[in-house]
Amino acid sequence: MMSALPSTMKGVQLIGHGGLDRLEFREDLPIPTLGENDVLIRVAAAGVNNTDLNTRIGWYSKGDNDAEDASWSGDALTFPRIQGADVCGHIVAVGSAVSDSRLGERVLIEPCLTLANDNPLTTPWYFGSECDGGFAEYTRVAAQHAFKIESSLSDIQLASFPCSYSTAENMLTRANVSQSDTVLITGASGGVGSAAIQLAKARGANIIAVTSPSKAALIQDIGADKVVFRDENVIEALGKNSVDVVIDLVAGPQWPELLEVMKPKGRYAVSGAIGGPLVELDVRTLYLKDLSFFGCTVLEPQVFAQLIQRIERGDIAPLVAETFPLKDICAAQTRFAEKQHVGKIVLTVTDS
């Protein structure tokens, strides 16, 4: 069902791998056409993520950045593509198999998709990567991935949650973090890192965060019990066999230190490598300490519903560092890449 909607919309298209010049703001993009299981969402706000920049520059390719594996899923990316995984908006139209009762709902989009184009996906897609996302006035998604949210928070605040917080919640779920655990979180000032601090604190865990001195006070304000500075040796700062779980967004040259501070039978979960994707692993440390490793990309089925419940209960608070209008996406991504912020940078798309 679709009525009283324009035929075109404003949005930003990624026209190829490369620099900021590959992002084009347009005002003549067609409104998405719905499948029978889809909903059309008028986007109010959309967050900026590492995934957006990584996809644009072709970082996911394991070879040439223009190679056919330079996407989130490892398949060739189709251009032009509307990016944007973090979406808060309102349902304004529904497909023929979706109840009209959903019209008007304020929703957050689950970014890890298992249904698209009315078909189950063998390999999940990422919203804004394998299909068009939220950097436009309207977007479509399967109704099962549009979660109703009832909250006093603003659309901008809510748009800070989906990608980073679901990634963090998934890592903590996979690593089975509980109140008895001491958890070390790297990249703690970023979107996922700051989310992991709050979500681990909601579980009652003891939290050690790795960050810069300039961000230490804010990191402690959101729940970190102890801070280790980024240029410190983690082994010297904490001692060997001192943490139960590592939540890692960084990897890079200091990665071997993380394994040394893990207790026997410790759990390591990773979903980012902003410090560099190639690390040196002494396999003896892995097996002699009985460590468990979790690569975390596809969300466990219960994770996004858990996140919605935590938002509605007020277990976690939004961290919005700065906002930009959609047309200023290049300025927003430049600011994001500087890594001087704590929390999320959010694009405002339409009025509530």
Side-chain angles (χ1 to χ4, degrees):
M1 176 180 297
M2 185 179 296
S3 62
L5 292 171
S7 59
T8 60
M9 64 180 182
K10 299 174 184 176
V12 175
Q13 286 186 326
L14 177 66
I15 60 173
H17 294 301
L20 292 169
D21 61 322
R22 309 305 282 169
L23 295 170
E24 288 190 350
F25 179 79
R26 298 184 56 172
E27 299 186 4
D28 60 349
L29 300 175
I31 297 289
T33 301
L34 298 187
E36 64 177 16
N37 295 297
D38 291 338
V39 293
L40 185 70
I41 296 168
R42 188 168 188 260
V43 179
V48 177
N49 287 294
N50 273 315
T51 297
D52 307 323
L53 278 69
N54 290 341
T55 298
R56 171 168 57 78
I57 66 176
W59 183 85
Y60 291 110
S61 173
K62 296 181 177 63
D64 186 334
N65 282 3
D66 290 323
E68 291 191 352
D69 66 340
S71 73
W72 178 84
S73 68
D75 294 327
L77 199 70
T78 302
F79 298 108
R81 171 66 70 229
I82 297 172
Q83 294 182 283
D86 268 324
V87 174
C88 177
H90 296 77
I91 295 177
V92 294
V94 298
S96 59
V98 181
S99 171
D100 287 352
S101 66
R102 298 212 60 186
L103 290 168
E105 285 184 3
R106 183 159 69 152
V107 295
L108 296 181
I109 293 179
E110 179 182 25
C112 185
L113 308 180
T114 58
L115 179 69
N117 299 325
D118 292 325
N119 292 307
L121 300 172
T122 303
T123 300
W125 288 359
Y126 201 78
F127 195 61
S129 180
E130 284 66 42
C131 62
D132 284 342
F135 291 163
E137 291 181 296
Y138 295 90
T139 192
R140 72 158 180 157
V141 73
Q144 71 180 47
H145 293 300
F147 282 70
K148 182 179 180 181
I149 181 81
E150 295 184 349
S151 171
S152 61
L153 297 174
S154 70
D155 296 328
I156 290 170
Q157 290 172 319
L158 289 174
S160 71
F161 285 120
C163 183
S164 295
Y165 282 74
S166 66
T167 299
E169 179 75 6
N170 195 50
M171 296 174 78
L172 297 168
T173 298
R174 294 285 306 280
N176 195 28
V177 171
S178 71
Q179 63 182 9
S180 63
D181 290 322
T182 294
V183 181
L184 176 66
I185 300 172
T186 68
S189 64
V192 179
S194 56
I197 291 171
Q198 291 194 61
L199 290 163
K201 179 59 67 174
R203 285 168 165 76
N206 180 58
I207 301 161
I208 304 168
V210 181
T211 190
S212 62
S214 64
K215 299 173 182 176
L218 182 52
I219 292 303
Q220 289 177 305
D221 286 345
I222 64 173
D225 298 290
K226 180 180 175 66
V227 167
V228 176
F229 295 143
R230 198 173 288 149
D231 56 355
E232 287 187 86
N233 182 292
V234 178
I235 302 171
E236 294 177 0
L238 302 178
K240 292 186 177 181
N241 303 328
S242 56
V243 303
D244 301 284
V245 178
V246 170
I247 301 295
D248 188 22
L249 293 314
V250 176
Q254 291 181 301
W255 188 83
E257 297 174 16
L258 301 178
L259 273 58
E260 293 296 335
V261 299
M262 292 173 67
K263 296 177 182 178
K265 295 190 178 294
R267 292 100 71 199
Y268 169 89
V270 60
S271 70
I274 59 175
L278 301 181
V279 299
E280 182 176 295
L281 168 64
D282 186 332
V283 175
R284 293 169 297 183
T285 305
L286 172 59
Y287 72 77
L288 289 174
K289 295 181 72 171
D290 290 292
L291 302 179
S292 296
F293 283 12
F294 300 94
C296 302
T297 293
V298 176
L299 299 185
E300 295 296 308
Q302 73 274 27
V303 161
F304 207 76
Q306 290 174 184
L307 177 59
I308 294 292
Q309 292 169 4
R310 291 193 183 279
I311 296 169
E312 292 182 336
R313 289 198 304 260
D315 291 348
I316 50 180
L319 286 173
V320 178
E322 198 166 353
T323 62
F324 292 80
L326 179 62
K327 65 182 178 60
D328 292 340
I329 188 171
C330 293
Q333 288 199 4
T334 299
R335 187 67 53 84
F336 183 94
E338 291 170 352
K339 299 297 181 187
Q340 298 302 307
H341 62 286
V342 175
K344 292 301 294 279
I345 291 174
V346 179
L347 298 169
T348 54
V349 183
T350 63
D351 294 331
S352 297

